[in-house]
Amino acid sequence: KIVPPAKDGLANIELLKKIITRKTALVAVTHLSNVTGIVCPLDDVINFAHKKGALVLVDDAQYIVSHKENVTASGIDFSAFSGHKLGGPTGIGVLYGRKELLKKMLPYHVGGGTVKSVSVLGSNIKVDYLPPPFKFEAGVQHHAGIIGLGATIEFLERIGIRKINDYLEELAEYTLQKLSSRSYIGYMADYERHKPSSLVSFFFKNKELSLQDFNLFLNHQLPDYFIAVRCGHHCAMPFHKFANIPISMRLSFFIYNTKSEIDVFFRALDKYFQNK
């Protein structure tokens, strides 16, 4: 069952509560939307889901960039995030699961390093797997990625996650201030009521104007700069369909971004509309 977002672009918690029943096995929820940049009230979801006997899987890919996730205190059952969003290597990520749950689960594939013992009893084969996490990590691991991701996390912790979060929120607020003076811009969420954390997504209110054309314009019209944004559905096409918005453009920020870079984007935006 899919829960559509509320009109303000947030997760529709009240509708989610109506859908979760005693028959619900797993609730999957995004902690921080990669479309709106707004944090979901996760504690409320977890508490209600657990009361109904459901487990909770949290997509932390965007949240973990600027927040610490205390899986023990929150009661999260499973959490997943990617390495590259942290500025680390591609092709690696983290899947957390509560140990008592992982002990009950079987691996979806097997191989070297997953098996404790194999016994042949007549025509039957009995397999005992190693305890987690080993039984889920068949074959040769992505050692280079593991080392790189570890170094990335150590680097970010030296800076301080709280400091990172404050800086990214400052960049998002700066962007919204500059966007607010341009009446032709619409937003994927109600940013007046809900503060975005590390990104801002918008669209052109006039649907005759193409965001895709503007995206191409960004690559060619400022010869001294290459402006990297994301234009499209952000792996969230249903979200856009619910909002009746064909596509949106996302400005997402990290510790290496600056306000001067945001100013370059707005110079390009203004130049684009001078020609319209």
Side-chain angles (χ1 to χ4, degrees):
K1 297 180 180 179
I2 298 174
V3 181
K7 290 183 179 180
D8 58 1
L10 270 68
N12 195 330
I13 303 300
E14 294 308 312
L15 179 57
L16 178 65
K17 288 181 177 180
K18 292 178 181 179
I19 288 177
I20 298 173
T21 70
R22 293 290 178 185
K23 294 182 179 180
T24 304
L26 183 70
V27 176
V29 60
T30 301
H31 201 165
L32 194 160
S33 171
N34 70 313
V35 178
T36 66
I38 296 174
V39 176
C40 171
L42 190 61
D43 290 343
D44 198 18
V45 175
I46 292 174
N47 291 336
F48 188 81
H50 284 174
K51 286 179 181 178
K52 294 293 185 178
L55 301 176
V56 179
L57 165 64
V58 179
D59 174 0
D60 269 323
Q62 199 73 51
Y63 183 83
I64 208 74
V65 172
S66 54
H67 298 77
K68 278 195 172 183
E69 184 69 280
N70 190 328
V71 292
T72 303
S74 64
I76 289 173
D77 299 300
F78 301 99
S79 170
F81 62 88
S82 57
H84 74 272
K85 289 246 180 185
L86 293 169
T90 58
I92 191 168
V94 170
L95 173 60
Y96 160 83
R98 285 199 291 116
K99 183 171 285 189
E100 58 267 33
L101 296 173
L102 295 178
K103 286 180 178 178
K104 298 176 183 178
M105 296 170 63
L106 291 174
Y108 74 94
H109 68 178
V110 296
T114 64
V115 175
K116 182 179 180 180
S117 68
V118 179
S119 303
V120 178
L121 306 173
S123 60
N124 297 319
I125 297 177
K126 183 177 183 297
V127 180
D128 289 325
Y129 293 102
L130 291 168
F134 307 106
K135 66 178 178 179
F136 301 111
E137 299 180 345
V140 177
Q141 296 303 297
H142 182 14
H143 297 123
I146 293 169
I147 294 169
L149 180 56
T152 300
I153 293 171
E154 290 174 0
F155 173 73
L156 296 178
E157 287 185 337
R158 285 199 300 271
I159 297 173
I161 297 299
R162 181 72 255 176
K163 186 176 180 181
I164 293 172
N165 181 60
D166 291 345
Y167 181 64
L168 299 188
E169 285 186 352
E170 181 182 340
L171 293 182
E173 183 177 356
Y174 181 75
T175 300
L176 283 174
Q177 288 175 354
K178 296 180 79 70
L179 283 171
S180 64
S181 63
R182 293 159 171 85
S183 59
Y184 51 83
I185 295 294
Y187 304 106
M188 293 300 294
D190 187 346
Y191 289 134
E192 290 186 2
R193 293 177 57 198
H194 308 288
K195 185 177 181 180
S197 181
S198 57
L199 62 94
V200 174
S201 292
F202 67 90
F203 57 89
F204 293 153
K205 291 180 180 179
N206 185 348
K207 294 186 179 180
E208 294 182 2
L209 295 174
S210 171
L211 268 180
Q212 291 170 322
D213 285 348
F214 175 55
N215 191 37
L216 293 173
F217 179 89
L218 291 177
N219 295 339
H220 300 292
Q221 295 303 313
L222 294 178
D224 296 332
Y225 299 97
F226 176 81
I227 303 175
V229 298
R230 183 157 185 189
C231 182
H233 301 111
H234 323 305
C235 299
M237 187 180 292
F239 187 106
H240 288 77
K241 288 184 176 180
F242 285 131
N244 196 28
I245 303 299
I247 59 172
S248 62
M249 179 169 285
R250 185 180 73 191
L251 302 181
S252 56
F253 313 110
F254 201 41
I255 53 176
Y256 43 69
N257 291 123
T258 63
K259 289 181 180 179
S260 61
E261 291 177 331
I262 296 171
D263 292 340
V264 171
F265 169 82
F266 280 100
R267 281 187 1 226
L269 180 63
D270 293 340
K271 184 178 180 181
Y272 179 76
F273 273 91
Q274 287 173 0
N275 300 326
K276 295 295 178 183

